[in-house]
Amino acid sequence: MNRAALLLIVCLAVTCPRARTQGNSPGPTTPEAQVRLGNEYLDKKDYSSAMIWFRKAGEKNNAAAQNNIGWLYESGFGVKQDYAEALNWFSKSANQGNADAQNNIGWLYENGWGVLQDYSEAMTFYRKAADQGNSRAEANIGGLYDKGLGVKQDYVEAMVWYRKAADQGDTNAQVNEGWLYQHGWGVKQDYAEALSLYLGAANKKNPYAENDIGTLYEAGLGVKQDYAEAMAWYYRAATQGHAKAQGNIGRLYDNGRGVEQDYAKAADWYRKAADQGNADAEANLGMLYLNGHGVKQDYTEAMNWFRKAEEQGNPDAQNDIGWIYQNGLGVPQDKSEAIKWYRKAAGQGNARAAANLDNLSPGTVLRGTITAVCGQKTADCITPPRAVFAPDPEFSKEARDAKYQGTCVLMVTVGTDGLVTNIRVVKSLGKGLDEKAVEAVQKWKFEPGMKDGQPVAAVIAIEVDFHLK
């Protein structure tokens, strides 16, 4: 999930009782009453009417109204989206010391919306707001330390700021605390503590927390693996519009985990997430069209979805585009174009692309596709993943009876969540040991690889030893 704290504006400074219906009267004349009426329209999602009343109050220099006008321009609600105009109104409000507006200006700088992206400037405004106890600013400062944006990455400092915000009831900060505990970043890895924090936020209907609880159950982290329980939590988040949870539900239906396999339902859930721009869902929906699972087979539609995902850098989609060109599915067969896309995906550590590339150019790409680790004097190196849970494999009956031993080599992708995917046998043992090696490694958990202070996916080779005692 994007773990930067969400930018949510509600009835900001004014918590007085609702204004009464105005009938044929000209409406409220004081800026405070005008803000109250504007907030009523905001609650009803009547953004145009809300803007009318916020403008009346904003022109009288009401800071809360000015901040709300900025938010409407930033979001494009009731007006054409205009980040420069948003900054203009946020600045009017921030100059009066409004902490929400100060935080919102920081958010514009962090994302580079209407201004040159500048993490240091973002931090400056976040700190101004945090000095007034603004919980969203505190959470955003934690996010900068968490991701190492404009500051040296420091999970301990991130935890400090997340906790400040969480203590004020900020559920997104609580989720981020749980994320640090889940991965053991800046604290001792503690799935129980992560689950506790997620549950606290989920009880306040935070969809990010609900999705993360589902992830723990799906992966069996700190809890017994339970796909049905994972589905229940994903559903709670998905019904609140959480795109990643919608995609996760699609994946469970796609693979028949915890539910009866149903490609049509998978397609429906993938589409909900894809319509919100979720790249994984776009790629997965493309795969359903490619194979004709749950939808009419349509190579052109598959390519359309793969390209949407690829534009966001999704390596699975890049690999799938290569596959379409390699096999001439809806496009002229083009080996060189396929190789180009496989190389692009393999460069991001996609093992399927590495295997496809190896098949087109046997023996030339295997070592080159394994992620470079620091110490090899390359600018693209990463700190390699480290196994934190690595149960030994079981012997197959055939190998045990034959007293057969050896080492199987697998190429795998370790994702940013520390989980293993895209397992490929590159040195086979046979006698059922390859399958046992894959079965064991699927259960392994890693601290993910790190590059420039951020977790990244990495393709690594794993040697699985089979020795009789």
Side-chain angles (χ1 to χ4, degrees):
M1 89 181 212
N2 181 346
R3 295 195 170 272
L6 293 179
L7 181 62
L8 299 175
I9 306 295
V10 292
C11 301
L12 295 168
V14 180
T15 57
C16 300
R18 297 295 190 187
R20 296 179 180 178
T21 303
Q22 298 300 308
N24 295 322
S25 66
T29 57
T30 67
E32 292 77 18
Q34 289 166 343
V35 169
R36 287 199 299 273
L37 185 54
N39 283 333
E40 285 194 354
Y41 282 116
L42 199 62
D43 287 345
K44 297 174 184 176
K45 297 185 179 180
D46 183 346
Y47 301 119
S48 296
S49 296
M51 177 66 91
I52 290 171
W53 290 103
F54 289 148
R55 279 194 184 277
K56 290 179 182 291
E59 289 167 359
K60 296 173 184 175
N61 218 30
N62 181 280
Q66 292 167 339
N67 178 68
N68 282 2
I69 293 170
W71 178 73
L72 290 173
Y73 273 112
E74 181 193 329
S75 305
F77 291 155
V79 290
K80 182 179 179 181
Q81 190 174 52
D82 187 331
Y83 293 126
E85 192 65 10
L87 179 61
N88 174 46
W89 284 99
F90 285 150
S91 297
K92 291 176 186 287
S93 180
N95 288 339
Q96 296 188 67
N98 185 283
D100 287 300
Q102 292 166 343
N103 174 72
N104 292 339
I105 293 174
W107 188 254
L108 293 180
Y109 275 108
E110 180 176 342
N111 291 283
W113 292 342
V115 292
L116 185 67
Q117 191 172 48
D118 188 330
Y119 298 124
S120 296
E121 195 70 8
M123 178 68 87
T124 297
F125 279 97
Y126 288 154
R127 286 195 181 274
K128 288 181 179 181
D131 286 344
Q132 298 186 62
N134 185 279
S135 63
R136 290 186 297 116
E138 291 168 344
N140 288 340
I141 291 173
L144 293 181
Y145 278 111
D146 189 347
K147 297 184 286 291
L149 301 177
V151 291
K152 182 179 179 181
Q153 189 174 47
D154 188 332
Y155 293 126
V156 175
E157 189 69 12
M159 179 66 85
V160 168
W161 285 100
Y162 285 152
R163 187 153 293 165
K164 285 177 183 285
D167 286 346
Q168 293 194 65
D170 188 300
T171 59
N172 292 314
Q174 198 169 357
V175 171
N176 290 338
E177 273 193 86
W179 190 251
L180 294 181
Y181 274 111
Q182 180 178 332
H183 293 85
W185 294 337
V187 291
K188 182 179 179 181
Q189 191 173 47
D190 189 331
Y191 295 126
E193 184 67 17
L195 182 58
S196 175
L197 287 160
Y198 291 153
L199 284 169
N203 287 336
K204 298 178 181 177
K205 299 190 180 301
N206 183 293
Y208 286 92
E210 293 165 348
N211 178 72
D212 288 342
I213 293 171
T215 299
L216 292 180
Y217 276 107
E218 184 178 352
L221 300 175
V223 291
K224 182 179 178 181
Q225 190 175 49
D226 187 331
Y227 293 126
E229 190 72 9
M231 174 68 86
W233 283 102
Y234 288 150
Y235 189 79
R236 285 177 58 166
T239 53
Q240 296 183 66
H242 191 280
K244 188 172 182 180
Q246 292 167 344
N248 288 340
I249 292 174
R251 190 183 64 251
L252 292 179
Y253 275 115
D254 196 346
N255 296 305
R257 291 179 176 172
V259 291
E260 184 177 348
Q261 190 174 49
D262 189 325
Y263 293 125
K265 287 184 178 178
D268 287 342
W269 283 103
Y270 284 151
R271 194 178 299 278
K272 289 177 188 292
D275 286 344
Q276 294 191 64
N278 183 277
D280 289 335
E282 291 169 344
N284 289 335
L285 186 56
M287 186 58 68
L288 293 183
Y289 275 107
L290 183 66
N291 295 307
H293 289 165
V295 292
K296 183 178 179 181
Q297 190 174 50
D298 187 330
Y299 297 133
T300 300
E301 190 69 6
M303 179 68 94
N304 287 340
W305 285 109
F306 290 149
R307 289 201 180 274
K308 286 178 183 288
E310 186 282 322
E311 287 171 1
Q312 297 186 62
N314 185 282
D316 287 322
Q318 293 166 350
N319 170 74
D320 295 333
I321 292 172
W323 182 258
I324 284 179
Y325 277 110
Q326 179 182 345
N327 294 280
L329 304 176
V331 295
Q333 192 172 38
D334 190 330
K335 180 178 176 180
S336 62
E337 188 70 10
I339 288 174
K340 181 188 81 172
W341 285 103
Y342 287 151
R343 287 191 183 281
K344 194 170 184 178
Q348 293 195 68
N350 186 279
R352 285 195 301 134
N356 290 334
L357 196 55
D358 198 32
N359 288 334
L360 287 180
S361 304
T364 64
V365 300
L366 176 58
R367 282 290 155 188
T369 59
I370 295 177
T371 303
V373 299
C374 292
Q376 296 180 325
K377 296 182 180 180
T378 167
D380 296 324
C381 74
I382 71 164
T383 301
R386 182 176 71 86
V388 295
F389 178 68
D392 291 332
E394 297 179 358
F395 259 82
S396 65
K397 185 178 185 302
E398 181 184 5
R400 186 177 295 280
D401 290 345
K403 294 181 169 39
Y404 183 75
Q405 305 180 93
T407 300
C408 174
V409 181
L410 307 177
M411 187 164 70
V412 308
T413 300
V414 178
T416 57
D417 56 2
L419 301 181
V420 176
T421 59
N422 300 326
I423 301 174
R424 177 192 175 201
V425 177
V426 295
K427 180 184 176 185
S428 175
L429 280 178
K431 295 188 183 299
L433 293 181
D434 297 341
E435 292 79 6
K436 292 296 184 181
V438 170
E439 184 180 302
V441 170
Q442 283 175 329
K443 300 175 183 176
W444 286 21
K445 310 290 191 303
F446 287 80
E447 287 183 357
M450 303 293 291
K451 185 176 187 294
D452 298 331
Q454 296 191 54
V456 293
V459 176
I460 61 173
I462 296 177
E463 295 183 348
V464 182
D465 294 322
F466 291 89
H467 293 293
L468 292 168
K469 297 179 180 178

